[in-house]
Amino acid sequence: MKKKWIVLIVVALVVLIGYSTFKGTYNGLVQREESIDGAWAQVENQYQRRADLIPNLVNTVKGYADFEQETLTGVIEARAKATSVSIDPSNLTPQAIANFEQAQQGLSGALSRLMVTVERYPDLKANTQFQQLQVQLEGTENRISVERRNFNGIVQEYNTYIRTFPKNIYANMFGFEKKAYFEASAGADTAPEVSFD
């Protein structure tokens, strides 16, 4: 009779330990995946902040009648394209992130062209509202960089977690897959050529 109780207690302990391990690992996977979703939301939040500042910038610049309309149109179109591309956090594939980043790079390029064009308008450069908007855009670009770095850190933690043994068994069993990182744009490793001609 005592052997029967000992066997039951051992089986109950094994089941309890197995359940606790299983539950803890699964919940850890879910928490890490939710952290990625939250970090991605912060990345999108900063890109949206930039998109929200652009109409104010464009309206300020429009006040200068002889300003190049082609440049303003390019910024408006790039903003529309950038805000039309979004990613479902559950589909953070390398291709989806590349498409999102490509649309954002188009907007960044249009804003850069706008800022270069502004150099020819000293009255506009001296405009207080324009200066404030420019500072806000610069700050937003820094925030975007910080949020992208944070996102990549959380993705690295998650990817490491799901690839280590024995968690990789649970991750595969429940369909938790490796997430994509933000990567540098093509050509970012080449220094820009500066010319004073």
Side-chain angles (χ1 to χ4, degrees), residues 109-147:
L111 284 172
S112 294
R113 286 188 294 282
L114 175 67
M115 294 307 169
V116 167
T117 306
V118 163
E119 291 298 318
R120 290 182 257 167
Y121 294 85
D123 291 344
L124 176 57
K125 283 180 17 181
N127 179 298
T128 307
Q129 184 178 6
F130 178 80
Q131 289 176 345
Q132 289 173 347
L133 287 167
Q134 191 174 9
V135 167
Q136 287 181 21
L137 277 171
E138 289 170 1
T140 299
E141 293 299 329
N142 289 336
R143 289 177 182 185
I144 288 170
S145 176
V146 167
E147 292 303 337

mmCIF file of all heavy atoms in Angstrom, residues 109-147:
data_model
loop_
_atom_site.group_PDB
_atom_site.id
_atom_site.type_symbol
_atom_site.label_atom_id
_atom_site.label_comp_id
_atom_site.label_asym_id
_atom_site.label_seq_id
_atom_site.Cartn_x
_atom_site.Cartn_y
_atom_site.Cartn_z
ATOM 1 N N GLY A 109 13.529 60.919 -47.927
ATOM 2 C CA GLY A 109 14.183 61.545 -49.075
ATOM 3 C C GLY A 109 13.487 62.825 -49.503
ATOM 4 O O GLY A 109 14.135 63.837 -49.802
ATOM 5 N N ALA A 110 12.150 62.789 -49.519
ATOM 6 C CA ALA A 110 11.384 63.985 -49.899
ATOM 7 C C ALA A 110 11.611 65.111 -48.889
ATOM 8 O O ALA A 110 11.757 66.278 -49.276
ATOM 9 C CB ALA A 110 9.893 63.645 -50.010
ATOM 10 N N LEU A 111 11.663 64.768 -47.608
ATOM 11 C CA LEU A 111 11.929 65.792 -46.586
ATOM 12 C C LEU A 111 13.340 66.362 -46.728
ATOM 13 O O LEU A 111 13.543 67.565 -46.561
ATOM 14 C CB LEU A 111 11.737 65.207 -45.189
ATOM 15 C CG LEU A 111 10.299 65.017 -44.735
ATOM 16 C CD1 LEU A 111 10.249 64.251 -43.419
ATOM 17 C CD2 LEU A 111 9.587 66.340 -44.611
ATOM 18 N N SER A 112 14.301 65.509 -47.057
ATOM 19 C CA SER A 112 15.672 65.987 -47.258
ATOM 20 C C SER A 112 15.736 66.963 -48.420
ATOM 21 O O SER A 112 16.392 68.008 -48.323
ATOM 22 C CB SER A 112 16.611 64.811 -47.529
ATOM 23 O OG SER A 112 16.702 63.995 -46.406
ATOM 24 N N ARG A 113 15.047 66.638 -49.519
ATOM 25 C CA ARG A 113 15.021 67.551 -50.668
ATOM 26 C C ARG A 113 14.367 68.875 -50.288
ATOM 27 O O ARG A 113 14.813 69.941 -50.708
ATOM 28 C CB ARG A 113 14.295 66.903 -51.849
ATOM 29 C CG ARG A 113 15.117 65.813 -52.533
ATOM 30 C CD ARG A 113 14.481 65.317 -53.809
ATOM 31 N NE ARG A 113 13.209 64.627 -53.608
ATOM 32 C CZ ARG A 113 13.079 63.373 -53.185
ATOM 33 N NH1 ARG A 113 14.152 62.659 -52.890
ATOM 34 N NH2 ARG A 113 11.894 62.834 -53.040
ATOM 35 N N LEU A 114 13.324 68.807 -49.479
ATOM 36 C CA LEU A 114 12.660 70.029 -49.027
ATOM 37 C C LEU A 114 13.622 70.888 -48.223
ATOM 38 O O LEU A 114 13.711 72.103 -48.429
ATOM 39 C CB LEU A 114 11.418 69.687 -48.192
ATOM 40 C CG LEU A 114 10.695 70.868 -47.545
ATOM 41 C CD1 LEU A 114 10.063 71.758 -48.612
ATOM 42 C CD2 LEU A 114 9.632 70.377 -46.575
ATOM 43 N N MET A 115 14.356 70.272 -47.307
ATOM 44 C CA MET A 115 15.276 71.038 -46.462
ATOM 45 C C MET A 115 16.415 71.653 -47.285
ATOM 46 O O MET A 115 16.858 72.758 -47.000
ATOM 47 C CB MET A 115 15.846 70.157 -45.343
ATOM 48 C CG MET A 115 14.802 69.712 -44.344
ATOM 49 S SD MET A 115 13.876 71.109 -43.667
ATOM 50 C CE MET A 115 12.579 70.273 -42.829
ATOM 51 N N VAL A 116 16.874 70.948 -48.301
ATOM 52 C CA VAL A 116 17.915 71.498 -49.171
ATOM 53 C C VAL A 116 17.359 72.694 -49.936
ATOM 54 O O VAL A 116 18.024 73.729 -50.077
ATOM 55 C CB VAL A 116 18.455 70.416 -50.137
ATOM 56 C CG1 VAL A 116 19.293 71.028 -51.244
ATOM 57 C CG2 VAL A 116 19.274 69.394 -49.363
ATOM 58 N N THR A 117 16.139 72.577 -50.429
ATOM 59 C CA THR A 117 15.511 73.659 -51.178
ATOM 60 C C THR A 117 15.297 74.885 -50.290
ATOM 61 O O THR A 117 15.438 76.023 -50.747
ATOM 62 C CB THR A 117 14.163 73.192 -51.768
ATOM 63 O OG1 THR A 117 14.395 72.009 -52.533
ATOM 64 C CG2 THR A 117 13.550 74.232 -52.662
ATOM 65 N N VAL A 118 14.986 74.676 -49.041
ATOM 66 C CA VAL A 118 14.737 75.774 -48.092
ATOM 67 C C VAL A 118 15.975 76.655 -47.944
ATOM 68 O O VAL A 118 15.857 77.853 -47.676
ATOM 69 C CB VAL A 118 14.288 75.186 -46.729
ATOM 70 C CG1 VAL A 118 14.418 76.207 -45.616
ATOM 71 C CG2 VAL A 118 12.869 74.676 -46.825
ATOM 72 N N GLU A 119 17.146 76.080 -48.142
ATOM 73 C CA GLU A 119 18.385 76.852 -48.010
ATOM 74 C C GLU A 119 18.387 78.087 -48.917
ATOM 75 O O GLU A 119 19.050 79.072 -48.624
ATOM 76 C CB GLU A 119 19.603 75.971 -48.330
ATOM 77 C CG GLU A 119 19.870 74.883 -47.313
ATOM 78 C CD GLU A 119 20.186 75.429 -45.936
ATOM 79 O OE1 GLU A 119 20.939 76.407 -45.827
ATOM 80 O OE2 GLU A 119 19.658 74.876 -44.947
ATOM 81 N N ARG A 120 17.649 78.049 -50.003
ATOM 82 C CA ARG A 120 17.612 79.175 -50.937
ATOM 83 C C ARG A 120 16.634 80.269 -50.516
ATOM 84 O O ARG A 120 16.473 81.253 -51.215
ATOM 85 C CB ARG A 120 17.240 78.686 -52.333
ATOM 86 C CG ARG A 120 18.354 77.864 -52.953
ATOM 87 C CD ARG A 120 17.972 77.450 -54.334
ATOM 88 N NE ARG A 120 17.571 76.041 -54.246
ATOM 89 C CZ ARG A 120 16.936 75.381 -55.179
ATOM 90 N NH1 ARG A 120 16.575 75.956 -56.277
ATOM 91 N NH2 ARG A 120 16.633 74.113 -55.010
ATOM 92 N N TYR A 121 15.943 80.053 -49.382
ATOM 93 C CA TYR A 121 14.927 81.009 -48.932
ATOM 94 C C TYR A 121 15.266 81.497 -47.524
ATOM 95 O O TYR A 121 14.779 80.961 -46.533
ATOM 96 C CB TYR A 121 13.545 80.347 -48.947
ATOM 97 C CG TYR A 121 13.082 79.995 -50.331
ATOM 98 C CD1 TYR A 121 13.462 78.795 -50.923
ATOM 99 C CD2 TYR A 121 12.279 80.869 -51.053
ATOM 100 C CE1 TYR A 121 13.050 78.471 -52.207
ATOM 101 C CE2 TYR A 121 11.859 80.554 -52.336
ATOM 102 C CZ TYR A 121 12.255 79.359 -52.907
ATOM 103 O OH TYR A 121 11.848 79.061 -54.176
ATOM 104 N N PRO A 122 16.095 82.525 -47.425
ATOM 105 C CA PRO A 122 16.519 82.988 -46.096
ATOM 106 C C PRO A 122 15.353 83.463 -45.227
ATOM 107 O O PRO A 122 15.377 83.274 -44.007
ATOM 108 C CB PRO A 122 17.486 84.138 -46.384
ATOM 109 C CG PRO A 122 17.496 84.339 -47.850
ATOM 110 C CD PRO A 122 16.703 83.272 -48.507
ATOM 111 N N ASP A 123 14.316 84.052 -45.848
ATOM 112 C CA ASP A 123 13.163 84.500 -45.052
ATOM 113 C C ASP A 123 12.452 83.305 -44.422
ATOM 114 O O ASP A 123 12.005 83.363 -43.271
ATOM 115 C CB ASP A 123 12.170 85.283 -45.920
ATOM 116 C CG ASP A 123 12.732 86.625 -46.360
ATOM 117 O OD1 ASP A 123 13.726 87.065 -45.757
ATOM 118 O OD2 ASP A 123 12.176 87.213 -47.302
ATOM 119 N N LEU A 124 12.340 82.232 -45.176
ATOM 120 C CA LEU A 124 11.685 81.022 -44.666
ATOM 121 C C LEU A 124 12.526 80.393 -43.558
ATOM 122 O O LEU A 124 12.004 79.994 -42.528
ATOM 123 C CB LEU A 124 11.454 80.022 -45.799
ATOM 124 C CG LEU A 124 10.861 78.668 -45.412
ATOM 125 C CD1 LEU A 124 9.521 78.850 -44.701
ATOM 126 C CD2 LEU A 124 10.683 77.797 -46.639
ATOM 127 N N LYS A 125 13.835 80.336 -43.765
ATOM 128 C CA LYS A 125 14.716 79.770 -42.738
ATOM 129 C C LYS A 125 14.631 80.558 -41.440
ATOM 130 O O LYS A 125 14.806 80.008 -40.364
ATOM 131 C CB LYS A 125 16.159 79.749 -43.230
ATOM 132 C CG LYS A 125 16.434 78.636 -44.194
ATOM 133 C CD LYS A 125 17.838 78.553 -44.733
ATOM 134 C CE LYS A 125 18.893 79.288 -44.022
ATOM 135 N NZ LYS A 125 20.228 79.177 -44.601
ATOM 136 N N ALA A 126 14.366 81.860 -41.548
ATOM 137 C CA ALA A 126 14.289 82.711 -40.360
ATOM 138 C C ALA A 126 12.913 82.664 -39.700
ATOM 139 O O ALA A 126 12.749 83.145 -38.575
ATOM 140 C CB ALA A 126 14.630 84.148 -40.734
ATOM 141 N N ASN A 127 11.928 82.078 -40.359
ATOM 142 C CA ASN A 127 10.564 82.003 -39.842
ATOM 143 C C ASN A 127 10.549 81.135 -38.582
ATOM 144 O O ASN A 127 10.978 79.980 -38.601
ATOM 145 C CB ASN A 127 9.647 81.418 -40.926
ATOM 146 C CG ASN A 127 8.216 81.280 -40.477
ATOM 147 O OD1 ASN A 127 7.921 80.559 -39.539
ATOM 148 N ND2 ASN A 127 7.329 81.967 -41.158
ATOM 149 N N THR A 128 10.046 81.695 -37.486
ATOM 150 C CA THR A 128 10.044 81.008 -36.194
ATOM 151 C C THR A 128 9.254 79.700 -36.246
ATOM 152 O O THR A 128 9.703 78.673 -35.726
ATOM 153 C CB THR A 128 9.451 81.914 -35.094
ATOM 154 O OG1 THR A 128 10.145 83.151 -35.113
ATOM 155 C CG2 THR A 128 9.557 81.274 -33.738
ATOM 156 N N GLN A 129 8.088 79.729 -36.878
ATOM 157 C CA GLN A 129 7.272 78.521 -36.958
ATOM 158 C C GLN A 129 8.008 77.436 -37.740
ATOM 159 O O GLN A 129 8.009 76.274 -37.342
ATOM 160 C CB GLN A 129 5.925 78.819 -37.615
ATOM 161 C CG GLN A 129 5.005 77.619 -37.624
ATOM 162 C CD GLN A 129 3.647 77.927 -38.239
ATOM 163 O OE1 GLN A 129 3.408 79.000 -38.758
ATOM 164 N NE2 GLN A 129 2.761 76.951 -38.187
ATOM 165 N N PHE A 130 8.651 77.826 -38.835
ATOM 166 C CA PHE A 130 9.407 76.851 -39.619
ATOM 167 C C PHE A 130 10.544 76.267 -38.787
ATOM 168 O O PHE A 130 10.780 75.061 -38.800
ATOM 169 C CB PHE A 130 9.949 77.479 -40.907
ATOM 170 C CG PHE A 130 10.769 76.524 -41.719
ATOM 171 C CD1 PHE A 130 10.147 75.587 -42.532
ATOM 172 C CD2 PHE A 130 12.147 76.529 -41.634
ATOM 173 C CE1 PHE A 130 10.894 74.681 -43.259
ATOM 174 C CE2 PHE A 130 12.899 75.619 -42.363
ATOM 175 C CZ PHE A 130 12.274 74.696 -43.176
ATOM 176 N N GLN A 131 11.243 77.107 -38.049
ATOM 177 C CA GLN A 131 12.348 76.638 -37.215
ATOM 178 C C GLN A 131 11.864 75.645 -36.161
ATOM 179 O O GLN A 131 12.508 74.629 -35.917
ATOM 180 C CB GLN A 131 13.052 77.824 -36.548
ATOM 181 C CG GLN A 131 13.858 78.665 -37.501
ATOM 182 C CD GLN A 131 14.453 79.893 -36.819
ATOM 183 O OE1 GLN A 131 14.053 80.263 -35.715
ATOM 184 N NE2 GLN A 131 15.404 80.529 -37.485
ATOM 185 N N GLN A 132 10.720 75.943 -35.553
ATOM 186 C CA GLN A 132 10.165 75.034 -34.541
ATOM 187 C C GLN A 132 9.786 73.687 -35.157
ATOM 188 O O GLN A 132 10.056 72.634 -34.581
ATOM 189 C CB GLN A 132 8.949 75.666 -33.868
ATOM 190 C CG GLN A 132 9.279 76.809 -32.949
ATOM 191 C CD GLN A 132 8.039 77.521 -32.431
ATOM 192 O OE1 GLN A 132 6.941 77.325 -32.924
ATOM 193 N NE2 GLN A 132 8.241 78.385 -31.441
ATOM 194 N N LEU A 133 9.168 73.746 -36.330
ATOM 195 C CA LEU A 133 8.798 72.503 -37.008
ATOM 196 C C LEU A 133 10.039 71.698 -37.395
ATOM 197 O O LEU A 133 10.061 70.471 -37.273
ATOM 198 C CB LEU A 133 7.948 72.802 -38.245
ATOM 199 C CG LEU A 133 6.519 73.244 -37.963
ATOM 200 C CD1 LEU A 133 5.878 73.817 -39.216
ATOM 201 C CD2 LEU A 133 5.700 72.088 -37.419
ATOM 202 N N GLN A 134 11.068 72.386 -37.837
ATOM 203 C CA GLN A 134 12.308 71.713 -38.212
ATOM 204 C C GLN A 134 12.931 71.026 -36.994
ATOM 205 O O GLN A 134 13.377 69.881 -37.078
ATOM 206 C CB GLN A 134 13.276 72.725 -38.826
ATOM 207 C CG GLN A 134 14.472 72.098 -39.487
ATOM 208 C CD GLN A 134 15.330 73.116 -40.205
ATOM 209 O OE1 GLN A 134 15.132 74.321 -40.086
ATOM 210 N NE2 GLN A 134 16.297 72.635 -40.952
ATOM 211 N N VAL A 135 12.925 71.702 -35.869
ATOM 212 C CA VAL A 135 13.460 71.113 -34.636
ATOM 213 C C VAL A 135 12.624 69.898 -34.220
ATOM 214 O O VAL A 135 13.161 68.861 -33.816
ATOM 215 C CB VAL A 135 13.515 72.165 -33.496
ATOM 216 C CG1 VAL A 135 13.757 71.520 -32.146
ATOM 217 C CG2 VAL A 135 14.580 73.200 -33.798
ATOM 218 N N GLN A 136 11.296 70.012 -34.334
ATOM 219 C CA GLN A 136 10.425 68.884 -33.988
ATOM 220 C C GLN A 136 10.668 67.698 -34.912
ATOM 221 O O GLN A 136 10.691 66.544 -34.460
ATOM 222 C CB GLN A 136 8.963 69.307 -34.039
ATOM 223 C CG GLN A 136 8.550 70.197 -32.896
ATOM 224 C CD GLN A 136 7.079 70.574 -32.962
ATOM 225 O OE1 GLN A 136 6.282 69.917 -33.604
ATOM 226 N NE2 GLN A 136 6.721 71.647 -32.287
ATOM 227 N N LEU A 137 10.856 67.960 -36.196
ATOM 228 C CA LEU A 137 11.148 66.869 -37.140
ATOM 229 C C LEU A 137 12.484 66.205 -36.819
ATOM 230 O O LEU A 137 12.590 64.977 -36.857
ATOM 231 C CB LEU A 137 11.143 67.377 -38.579
ATOM 232 C CG LEU A 137 9.782 67.485 -39.240
ATOM 233 C CD1 LEU A 137 9.888 68.197 -40.583
ATOM 234 C CD2 LEU A 137 9.148 66.121 -39.422
ATOM 235 N N GLU A 138 13.490 67.008 -36.506
ATOM 236 C CA GLU A 138 14.789 66.442 -36.138
ATOM 237 C C GLU A 138 14.666 65.584 -34.885
ATOM 238 O O GLU A 138 15.234 64.495 -34.800
ATOM 239 C CB GLU A 138 15.807 67.561 -35.912
ATOM 240 C CG GLU A 138 16.234 68.265 -37.183
ATOM 241 C CD GLU A 138 17.049 69.523 -36.927
ATOM 242 O OE1 GLU A 138 17.311 69.855 -35.742
ATOM 243 O OE2 GLU A 138 17.419 70.175 -37.909
ATOM 244 N N GLY A 139 13.921 66.079 -33.899
ATOM 245 C CA GLY A 139 13.695 65.303 -32.682
ATOM 246 C C GLY A 139 12.949 64.011 -32.962
ATOM 247 O O GLY A 139 13.253 62.959 -32.387
ATOM 248 N N THR A 140 11.987 64.082 -33.866
ATOM 249 C CA THR A 140 11.224 62.884 -34.222
ATOM 250 C C THR A 140 12.115 61.862 -34.912
ATOM 251 O O THR A 140 12.009 60.661 -34.653
ATOM 252 C CB THR A 140 10.027 63.254 -35.120
ATOM 253 O OG1 THR A 140 9.181 64.140 -34.378
ATOM 254 C CG2 THR A 140 9.235 62.031 -35.520
ATOM 255 N N GLU A 141 12.999 62.320 -35.782
ATOM 256 C CA GLU A 141 13.931 61.393 -36.443
ATOM 257 C C GLU A 141 14.801 60.693 -35.404
ATOM 258 O O GLU A 141 15.064 59.488 -35.512
ATOM 259 C CB GLU A 141 14.796 62.129 -37.469
ATOM 260 C CG GLU A 141 14.033 62.665 -38.659
ATOM 261 C CD GLU A 141 13.334 61.611 -39.503
ATOM 262 O OE1 GLU A 141 13.833 60.464 -39.589
ATOM 263 O OE2 GLU A 141 12.281 61.927 -40.076
ATOM 264 N N ASN A 142 15.221 61.428 -34.380
ATOM 265 C CA ASN A 142 16.003 60.800 -33.307
ATOM 266 C C ASN A 142 15.163 59.789 -32.539
ATOM 267 O O ASN A 142 15.643 58.705 -32.181
ATOM 268 C CB ASN A 142 16.548 61.862 -32.345
ATOM 269 C CG ASN A 142 17.642 62.700 -32.967
ATOM 270 O OD1 ASN A 142 18.315 62.268 -33.901
ATOM 271 N ND2 ASN A 142 17.811 63.910 -32.471
ATOM 272 N N ARG A 143 13.905 60.134 -32.273
ATOM 273 C CA ARG A 143 13.017 59.205 -31.566
ATOM 274 C C ARG A 143 12.786 57.943 -32.385
ATOM 275 O O ARG A 143 12.724 56.840 -31.840
ATOM 276 C CB ARG A 143 11.675 59.873 -31.277
ATOM 277 C CG ARG A 143 11.736 60.943 -30.234
ATOM 278 C CD ARG A 143 10.387 61.592 -30.064
ATOM 279 N NE ARG A 143 10.448 62.674 -29.093
ATOM 280 C CZ ARG A 143 9.420 63.345 -28.679
ATOM 281 N NH1 ARG A 143 8.223 63.075 -29.153
ATOM 282 N NH2 ARG A 143 9.556 64.301 -27.803
ATOM 283 N N ILE A 144 12.635 58.108 -33.696
ATOM 284 C CA ILE A 144 12.456 56.947 -34.571
ATOM 285 C C ILE A 144 13.671 56.030 -34.454
ATOM 286 O O ILE A 144 13.538 54.811 -34.316
ATOM 287 C CB ILE A 144 12.228 57.388 -36.033
ATOM 288 C CG1 ILE A 144 10.833 58.011 -36.187
ATOM 289 C CG2 ILE A 144 12.403 56.216 -37.000
ATOM 290 C CD1 ILE A 144 10.599 58.698 -37.523
ATOM 291 N N SER A 145 14.846 56.618 -34.481
ATOM 292 C CA SER A 145 16.074 55.840 -34.368
ATOM 293 C C SER A 145 16.130 55.075 -33.042
ATOM 294 O O SER A 145 16.473 53.893 -33.004
ATOM 295 C CB SER A 145 17.281 56.772 -34.490
ATOM 296 O OG SER A 145 18.473 56.072 -34.306
ATOM 297 N N VAL A 146 15.761 55.746 -31.963
ATOM 298 C CA VAL A 146 15.766 55.107 -30.637
ATOM 299 C C VAL A 146 14.749 53.956 -30.594
ATOM 300 O O VAL A 146 15.052 52.859 -30.109
ATOM 301 C CB VAL A 146 15.470 56.143 -29.525
ATOM 302 C CG1 VAL A 146 15.157 55.465 -28.195
ATOM 303 C CG2 VAL A 146 16.638 57.099 -29.373
ATOM 304 N N GLU A 147 13.548 54.193 -31.098
ATOM 305 C CA GLU A 147 12.513 53.148 -31.061
ATOM 306 C C GLU A 147 12.883 51.958 -31.943
ATOM 307 O O GLU A 147 12.600 50.813 -31.595
ATOM 308 C CB GLU A 147 11.153 53.712 -31.467
ATOM 309 C CG GLU A 147 10.567 54.694 -30.469
ATOM 310 C CD GLU A 147 10.402 54.148 -29.062
ATOM 311 O OE1 GLU A 147 10.324 52.916 -28.862
ATOM 312 O OE2 GLU A 147 10.346 54.967 -28.129
#
